[in-house]
PDB file of all heavy atoms in Angstrom:
ATOM      1  N   GLN A  76      -8.231  21.737   5.353  1.00 91.00           N
ATOM      2  CA  GLN A  76      -9.303  21.511   6.272  1.00 91.00           C
ATOM      3  C   GLN A  76      -9.331  22.593   7.367  1.00 91.00           C
ATOM      4  O   GLN A  76      -8.571  22.561   8.335  1.00 91.00           O
ATOM      5  CB  GLN A  76      -9.128  20.122   6.959  1.00 91.00           C
ATOM      6  CG  GLN A  76     -10.261  19.692   7.746  1.00 91.00           C
ATOM      7  CD  GLN A  76     -10.087  18.432   8.514  1.00 91.00           C
ATOM      8  OE1 GLN A  76      -8.987  18.165   8.986  1.00 91.00           O
ATOM      9  NE2 GLN A  76     -11.135  17.621   8.636  1.00 91.00           N
ATOM     10  N   ARG A  80     -14.036  22.171   9.334  1.00 70.00           N
ATOM     11  CA  ARG A  80     -13.753  20.717   9.205  1.00 70.00           C
ATOM     12  C   ARG A  80     -14.111  20.130   7.770  1.00 70.00           C
ATOM     13  O   ARG A  80     -14.032  18.891   7.568  1.00 70.00           O
ATOM     14  CB  ARG A  80     -14.277  19.893  10.267  1.00 70.00           C
ATOM     15  CG  ARG A  80     -13.703  20.267  11.648  1.00 70.00           C
ATOM     16  CD  ARG A  80     -14.072  19.310  12.733  1.00 70.00           C
ATOM     17  NE  ARG A  80     -13.317  18.036  12.516  1.00 70.00           N
ATOM     18  CZ  ARG A  80     -12.198  17.748  13.120  1.00 70.00           C
ATOM     19  NH1 ARG A  80     -11.673  18.661  14.000  1.00 70.00           N
ATOM     20  NH2 ARG A  80     -11.532  16.642  12.920  1.00 70.00           N
ATOM     21  N   GLN A  81     -14.711  20.908   6.891  1.00 80.00           N
ATOM     22  CA  GLN A  81     -14.962  20.386   5.580  1.00 80.00           C
ATOM     23  C   GLN A  81     -13.672  20.469   4.742  1.00 80.00           C
ATOM     24  O   GLN A  81     -13.056  21.508   4.680  1.00 80.00           O
ATOM     25  CB  GLN A  81     -16.032  21.164   4.834  1.00 80.00           C
ATOM     26  CG  GLN A  81     -16.420  20.656   3.450  1.00 80.00           C
ATOM     27  CD  GLN A  81     -17.520  21.428   2.864  1.00 80.00           C
ATOM     28  OE1 GLN A  81     -17.739  22.650   3.238  1.00 80.00           O
ATOM     29  NE2 GLN A  81     -18.283  20.863   1.947  1.00 80.00           N
ATOM     30  N   ARG A 132      -3.586   9.151  -4.871  1.00 91.00           N
ATOM     31  CA  ARG A 132      -4.609   8.323  -5.375  1.00 91.00           C
ATOM     32  C   ARG A 132      -4.012   7.549  -6.551  1.00 91.00           C
ATOM     33  O   ARG A 132      -3.466   8.150  -7.439  1.00 91.00           O
ATOM     34  CB  ARG A 132      -5.800   9.095  -5.721  1.00 91.00           C
ATOM     35  CG  ARG A 132      -6.999   8.146  -6.044  1.00 91.00           C
ATOM     36  CD  ARG A 132      -8.261   8.928  -6.328  1.00 91.00           C
ATOM     37  NE  ARG A 132      -8.168   9.683  -7.592  1.00 91.00           N
ATOM     38  CZ  ARG A 132      -8.959  10.618  -7.961  1.00 91.00           C
ATOM     39  NH1 ARG A 132      -9.949  11.005  -7.206  1.00 91.00           N
ATOM     40  NH2 ARG A 132      -8.815  11.201  -9.127  1.00 91.00           N
ATOM     41  N   PRO A 137      -9.211  -1.043  -8.253  1.00 69.00           N
ATOM     42  CA  PRO A 137     -10.310  -0.184  -7.670  1.00 69.00           C
ATOM     43  C   PRO A 137      -9.733   0.839  -6.775  1.00 69.00           C
ATOM     44  O   PRO A 137     -10.371   1.570  -6.071  1.00 69.00           O
ATOM     45  CB  PRO A 137     -11.001  -1.149  -6.815  1.00 69.00           C
ATOM     46  CG  PRO A 137     -10.015  -2.104  -6.202  1.00 69.00           C
ATOM     47  CD  PRO A 137      -9.061  -2.264  -7.383  1.00 69.00           C
ATOM     48  N   LEU A 141      -8.539   7.889  -1.757  1.00 90.00           N
ATOM     49  CA  LEU A 141      -7.449   8.844  -1.321  1.00 90.00           C
ATOM     50  C   LEU A 141      -6.759   8.234  -0.108  1.00 90.00           C
ATOM     51  O   LEU A 141      -7.358   7.751   0.817  1.00 90.00           O
ATOM     52  CB  LEU A 141      -8.009  10.152  -1.007  1.00 90.00           C
ATOM     53  CG  LEU A 141      -8.434  10.999  -2.181  1.00 90.00           C
ATOM     54  CD1 LEU A 141      -9.208  12.293  -1.640  1.00 90.00           C
ATOM     55  CD2 LEU A 141      -7.339  11.475  -3.045  1.00 90.00           C
TER      56      LEU A 141
ATOM     57  N   TYR B 305     -15.036   8.243   4.612  1.00 96.00           N
ATOM     58  CA  TYR B 305     -13.835   8.370   5.325  1.00 96.00           C
ATOM     59  C   TYR B 305     -14.052   8.640   6.785  1.00 96.00           C
ATOM     60  O   TYR B 305     -15.160   9.133   7.150  1.00 96.00           O
ATOM     61  CB  TYR B 305     -12.918   9.479   4.817  1.00 96.00           C
ATOM     62  CG  TYR B 305     -12.317   9.218   3.362  1.00 96.00           C
ATOM     63  CD1 TYR B 305     -13.158   9.370   2.225  1.00 96.00           C
ATOM     64  CD2 TYR B 305     -11.100   8.848   3.197  1.00 96.00           C
ATOM     65  CE1 TYR B 305     -12.707   9.125   0.998  1.00 96.00           C
ATOM     66  CE2 TYR B 305     -10.588   8.615   1.919  1.00 96.00           C
ATOM     67  CZ  TYR B 305     -11.403   8.721   0.756  1.00 96.00           C
ATOM     68  OH  TYR B 305     -10.876   8.542  -0.460  1.00 96.00           O
ATOM     69  N   GLU B 326     -14.440  -0.984  -3.158  1.00 90.00           N
ATOM     70  CA  GLU B 326     -13.253  -1.164  -2.344  1.00 90.00           C
ATOM     71  C   GLU B 326     -13.552  -0.875  -0.904  1.00 90.00           C
ATOM     72  O   GLU B 326     -14.376  -0.023  -0.591  1.00 90.00           O
ATOM     73  CB  GLU B 326     -12.131  -0.241  -2.890  1.00 90.00           C
ATOM     74  CG  GLU B 326     -10.754  -0.490  -2.186  1.00 90.00           C
ATOM     75  CD  GLU B 326      -9.712   0.499  -2.651  1.00 90.00           C
ATOM     76  OE1 GLU B 326     -10.027   1.465  -3.390  1.00 90.00           O
ATOM     77  OE2 GLU B 326      -8.533   0.347  -2.314  1.00 90.00           O
ATOM     78  N   THR B 369     -11.756   9.105 -11.396  1.00 77.00           N
ATOM     79  CA  THR B 369     -10.494   9.811 -11.215  1.00 77.00           C
ATOM     80  C   THR B 369     -10.801  11.327 -11.025  1.00 77.00           C
ATOM     81  O   THR B 369      -9.850  12.106 -11.146  1.00 77.00           O
ATOM     82  CB  THR B 369      -9.602   9.565 -12.328  1.00 77.00           C
ATOM     83  OG1 THR B 369     -10.155   9.936 -13.518  1.00 77.00           O
ATOM     84  CG2 THR B 369      -9.101   8.160 -12.386  1.00 77.00           C
ATOM     85  N   GLY B 370     -12.072  11.673 -10.910  1.00 80.00           N
ATOM     86  CA  GLY B 370     -12.414  13.006 -10.759  1.00 80.00           C
ATOM     87  C   GLY B 370     -12.169  13.696  -9.376  1.00 80.00           C
ATOM     88  O   GLY B 370     -11.785  12.919  -8.443  1.00 80.00           O
ATOM     89  N   PHE B 374     -16.181  16.698  -0.580  1.00 93.00           N
ATOM     90  CA  PHE B 374     -16.465  16.194   0.768  1.00 93.00           C
ATOM     91  C   PHE B 374     -17.562  16.923   1.435  1.00 93.00           C
ATOM     92  O   PHE B 374     -17.777  18.093   1.199  1.00 93.00           O
ATOM     93  CB  PHE B 374     -15.215  16.351   1.663  1.00 93.00           C
ATOM     94  CG  PHE B 374     -14.122  15.327   1.394  1.00 93.00           C
ATOM     95  CD1 PHE B 374     -13.217  15.604   0.403  1.00 93.00           C
ATOM     96  CD2 PHE B 374     -14.065  14.207   2.130  1.00 93.00           C
ATOM     97  CE1 PHE B 374     -12.092  14.607   0.112  1.00 93.00           C
ATOM     98  CE2 PHE B 374     -12.978  13.266   1.894  1.00 93.00           C
ATOM     99  CZ  PHE B 374     -12.095  13.472   0.906  1.00 93.00           C
TER     100      PHE B 374
END
Side-chain angles (χ1 to χ4, degrees):
Chain A
Q76 188 184 37
R80 302 191 72 95
Q81 181 176 28
R132 190 176 71 195
L141 287 171
Chain B
Y305 289 79
E326 187 182 8
T369 57
F374 285 84

